[in-house]
């Protein structure tokens, strides 16, 4: 006897909350405004950086320039993630945000290396810096980056939006560093402070993008969610009355806070209505204990074939079965 069960109620619930066509998601509007503000800031910082001979301002301007594709990708991902499943995209577009996070983090790493290289070159041959321009432009940049950071702060659990939040948070911190650097140069004439700040900004950007790059690539490679342990899930399913064995179990992430599971479960020979009760028990324990709401469970009367060679070669069995 074989029975396949998909969590269609979870899918229907998701569709019920999908914004109607033509409606603008609040975060979509915020990201759109952030793109315009960032473009204006990049123009000001690049012009002021070249005019004031500040590699820190130019570095920050180039850094902020990478915010533009980051914000555009995140804006598109926010819209796409709300789309319902189609015949070709049967899971919908939940992965759009994860893909955006991966691309954004890759851009962060490349820009960080560029900033560090340029700053080291300037450190070798320091030039006089116009601290007045450096100071006032940094204050304007702090207001813009700080505003974007606060705007997306409440949605930072979303991996896609976390890249935007982290990116602009570190932008704001780098602006504060440039302000202190401008004051230090003005008071002591230490022109070396400008490229040192540029190196610090590059290292900070590299560090901030590393975690997101690792997490997004883990999800794209169908890795097990970090908060879930495979054996614990299998043992929890065995606590459901009638479940004798669990094998061929796979758990992955569809999108932010949306996990999926597929597995084979061995049960005694019984009527369909009795097996439905077991299925309901499995789904309940998975949702309650592990927040797994999209499940595919195959019931069978045989264990894992010896030639399967999957990750869990030894099935997890109920004691005494």
């Amino acid at each position: 006897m074989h029975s396949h069960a998909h969590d269609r109620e979870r899918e229907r619930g998701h569709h019920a909350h999908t914004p109607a066509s033509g409606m603008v998601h609040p975060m979509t509007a915020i990201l759109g405004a952030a793109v315009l503000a960032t473009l204006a800031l990049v123009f000001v910082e690049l012009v002021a950086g070249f005019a004031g001979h500040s590699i820190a301002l130019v570095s920050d301007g180039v850094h902020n320039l990478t915010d533009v594709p980051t914000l555009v990708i995140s804006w598109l991902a926010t819209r796409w993630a709300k789309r319902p499943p189609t015949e070709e995209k049967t899971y919908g577009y939940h992965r759009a945000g994860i893909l955006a996070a991966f691309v954004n983090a890759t851009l962060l790493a490349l820009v960080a290396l560029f900033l560090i290289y340029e700053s080291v070159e300037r450190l070798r041959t320091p030039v006089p810096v116009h601290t007045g321009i450096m100071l006032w432009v940094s204050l304007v940049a702090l207001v813009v980056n700080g505003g974007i950071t606060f705007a997306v702060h409440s949605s930072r659990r979303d991996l896609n939006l976390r890249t935007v939040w982290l990116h602009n948070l570190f932008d704001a911190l780098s602006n504060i560093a440039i302000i202190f650097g401008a004051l230090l140069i003005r008071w002591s004439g230490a022109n070396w402070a400008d490229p040192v700040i540029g190196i610090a900004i590059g290292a900070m950007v590299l560090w901030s993008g590393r975690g997101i790059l690792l997490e997004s690539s883990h999800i794209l490679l169908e890795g097990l969610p970090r908060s879930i342990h495979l054996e614990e899930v299998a043992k929890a399913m065995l606590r459901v009355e009638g479940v004798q064995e669990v094998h061929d179990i796979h758990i992955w992430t569809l999108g932010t806070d949306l996990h999926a599971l597929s597995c084979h479960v061995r049960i005694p020979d019984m009527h369909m209505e009795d097996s439905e009760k077991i299925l309901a028990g499995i789904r309940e324990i998975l949702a309650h204990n592990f927040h797994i709401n999209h499940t595919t469970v195959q019931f069978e009367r045989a264990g894992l074939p010896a030639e399967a060679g999957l990750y869990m070669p030894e099935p997890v069995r109920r004691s005494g079965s």
Side-chain angles (χ1 to χ4, degrees):
M1 173 193 63
H2 293 270
S3 171
H4 297 271
H6 297 266
D7 193 351
R8 300 186 187 280
E9 293 179 6
R10 175 66 179 83
E11 292 301 313
R12 285 198 296 268
H14 172 72
H15 296 164
H17 292 85
T18 301
S21 178
M23 293 183 64
V24 178
H25 190 278
M27 193 52 61
T28 303
I30 290 173
L31 291 174
V35 170
L36 297 177
T38 302
L39 279 172
L41 176 60
V42 167
F43 177 78
V44 171
E45 281 195 310
L46 290 179
V47 171
F50 283 111
H53 306 294
S54 172
I55 187 63
L57 273 184
V58 173
S59 296
D60 198 53
V62 173
H63 179 204
N64 281 312
L65 183 60
T66 66
D67 285 350
V68 176
T70 294
L71 289 167
V72 170
I73 292 170
S74 296
W75 176 78
L76 290 173
T78 302
R79 294 178 63 89
W80 289 344
K82 301 299 178 182
R83 292 182 179 181
T86 65
E87 292 182 358
E88 292 185 348
K89 304 292 189 301
T90 56
Y91 277 128
Y93 291 79
H94 296 290
R95 284 285 176 84
I98 307 301
L99 183 59
F102 179 82
V103 173
N104 290 341
T106 302
L107 286 174
L108 275 174
L110 293 174
V111 170
L113 293 174
F114 171 76
L115 295 181
I116 292 172
Y117 172 79
E118 289 295 323
S119 298
V120 169
E121 290 297 310
R122 178 61 67 88
L123 187 60
R124 291 175 177 174
T125 55
V127 298
V129 179
H130 295 286
T131 56
I133 295 176
M134 187 177 175
L135 184 62
W136 286 108
V137 172
S138 296
L139 287 171
V140 173
L142 178 60
V143 172
V144 173
N145 290 316
I148 296 173
T149 301
F150 281 114
V152 300
H153 178 77
S154 61
S155 301
R156 68 188 185 281
R157 286 191 62 195
D158 184 298
L159 189 61
N160 170 36
L161 294 175
R162 196 191 312 167
T163 61
V164 177
W165 180 75
L166 267 178
H167 204 155
N168 284 277
L169 173 63
F170 283 109
D171 281 352
L173 293 175
S174 67
N175 297 145
I176 294 173
I178 294 173
I179 290 171
F180 279 107
L183 294 175
L184 176 63
I185 295 170
R186 173 174 288 186
W187 293 335
S188 65
N191 289 315
W192 54 263
D194 182 59
V196 166
I197 292 171
I199 293 173
I201 292 173
M204 188 168 55
V205 171
L206 194 62
W207 179 84
S208 68
R210 176 181 174 275
I212 294 173
L213 186 61
L214 290 175
E215 182 63 21
S216 58
S217 59
H218 180 76
I219 293 173
L220 291 173
L221 290 172
E222 307 286 1
L224 184 74
R226 303 291 189 188
S227 60
I228 295 176
H229 299 283
L230 203 64
E231 292 285 341
E232 290 182 6
V233 175
K235 290 177 180 178
M237 295 170 67
L238 286 173
R239 293 198 293 268
V240 178
E241 188 63 34
V243 176
Q244 296 179 340
E245 178 182 298
V246 177
H247 60 259
D248 197 7
I249 180 171
H250 304 274
I251 308 172
W252 66 100
T253 301
L254 293 174
T256 303
D257 295 331
L258 181 57
H259 303 314
L261 173 146
S262 69
C263 68
H264 291 206
V265 173
R266 185 161 67 96
I267 61 175
D269 195 8
M270 61 179 64
H271 291 294
M272 180 68 76
E273 60 184 41
D274 294 323
S275 68
E276 286 293 331
K277 293 178 182 178
I278 295 178
L279 179 60
I282 292 174
R283 292 162 75 180
E284 181 180 356
I285 202 167
L286 289 175
H288 183 267
N289 292 7
F290 305 101
H291 305 289
I292 299 174
N293 295 304
H294 188 101
T295 58
T296 303
V297 178
Q298 177 172 313
F299 287 148
E300 57 186 35
R301 292 184 295 171
L304 182 68
E307 67 275 8
L310 296 173
Y311 173 75
M312 188 184 287
E314 294 296 329
V316 180
R317 297 185 176 88
R318 181 185 294 273
S319 299
S321 63

